[in-house]
Amino acid sequence: MNDSKCQIIREEVLPGIFAAQARPEDKMAVNSLMVQAAAWLQSKGSKQWHELLAGEDRHGVAEAVDRGDVFIFKQGDALAGMVILQQHSSAWDRALWGNEGHESAVYLHRLCIDRAFAGRQLGSAILNWAVNGIRFPHKDRIRLDCIASVPALNRLYSGAGFESRGSAPDAPFNLYEKQVPSEA
């Protein structure tokens, strides 16, 4: 893991909930949190993240932890949430976003909250932290995608100040982007 790839400038995201870069020993807890989120989504009738319930992770979270791209949010020893902030576009990102702007972008994936922390606006706080609480060298924007047919997700991202960049070509995803202060 390379801690020098980013600079956390604010650790507390909500009172008593702190951000940290995930470490190898966090992999099991992070995976359990994502599976919990997938099961909850399934209970609501969504197929989002369904592959996690079959033991498949399309975003390679274990490898993302090793690269230093996964951030966790804890209250004491309890894992409250997590997010991936990738400094390099994946094949998925390039397929959705096309060929432009990847060098200066961080890609946000797999934002999820433990159900025990639901209703505290932690998702919004994590988005705020991703914009204002961490810096990545030579990056001036955060990009993300979400399922176009889920109004709550689209409201979460637009409510956090992410601007719509339209829909992905040939895919049911909306694209969002937000400018952030860069760390030269």
Side-chain angles (χ1 to χ4, degrees):
M1 186 168 67
N2 182 355
D3 288 49
S4 66
K5 290 169 70 176
C6 66
Q7 176 189 7
I8 295 177
I9 56 176
R10 189 181 80 230
E11 292 180 350
E12 192 170 38
V13 297
L14 283 176
I17 299 178
F18 295 88
Q21 203 166 26
R23 301 200 172 279
E25 58 269 23
D26 299 315
K27 287 179 184 179
M28 284 182 45
V30 165
N31 187 62
S32 293
L33 177 60
M34 291 187 315
V35 169
Q36 176 205 68
W40 178 78
L41 287 165
Q42 184 179 54
S43 78
K44 299 293 183 189
S46 172
K47 293 191 183 302
Q48 186 178 4
W49 297 8
H50 67 278
E51 74 280 357
L52 290 168
L53 298 174
E56 180 186 334
D57 178 20
R58 295 180 187 155
H59 280 86
V61 175
E63 294 83 10
V65 168
D66 292 338
R67 286 191 312 269
D69 291 343
V70 177
F71 296 87
I72 57 174
F73 304 87
K74 294 178 91 172
Q75 184 172 46
D77 290 334
L79 181 59
M82 61 86 55
V83 70
I84 298 173
L85 296 172
Q86 284 177 195
Q87 294 187 64
H88 302 286
S89 60
S90 66
W92 171 265
D93 299 318
R94 290 186 300 278
L96 294 181
W97 287 89
N99 296 320
E100 299 298 318
H102 298 292
E103 299 78 24
S104 64
V106 170
Y107 292 85
L108 187 146
H109 293 288
R110 296 288 194 199
L111 171 63
C112 65
I113 307 300
D114 186 291
R115 298 311 307 155
F117 291 85
R120 299 185 194 182
Q121 303 301 310
L122 182 56
S124 295
I126 290 172
L127 291 172
N128 182 325
W129 176 85
V131 170
N132 298 303
I134 188 168
R135 294 288 175 268
F136 296 94
H138 312 293
K139 304 294 182 177
D140 67 0
R141 70 194 68 216
I142 296 176
R143 288 179 165 178
L144 61 92
D145 62 87
C146 73
I147 297 175
S149 63
V150 181
L153 280 177
N154 288 274
R155 280 192 307 272
L156 173 68
Y157 298 127
S158 63
F162 283 79
E163 295 180 29
S164 173
R165 295 294 185 226
S167 297
D170 304 318
F173 298 98
N174 287 338
L175 306 175
Y176 290 91
E177 182 176 83
K178 186 166 184 172
Q179 298 290 314
V180 299
S182 66
E183 184 70 39

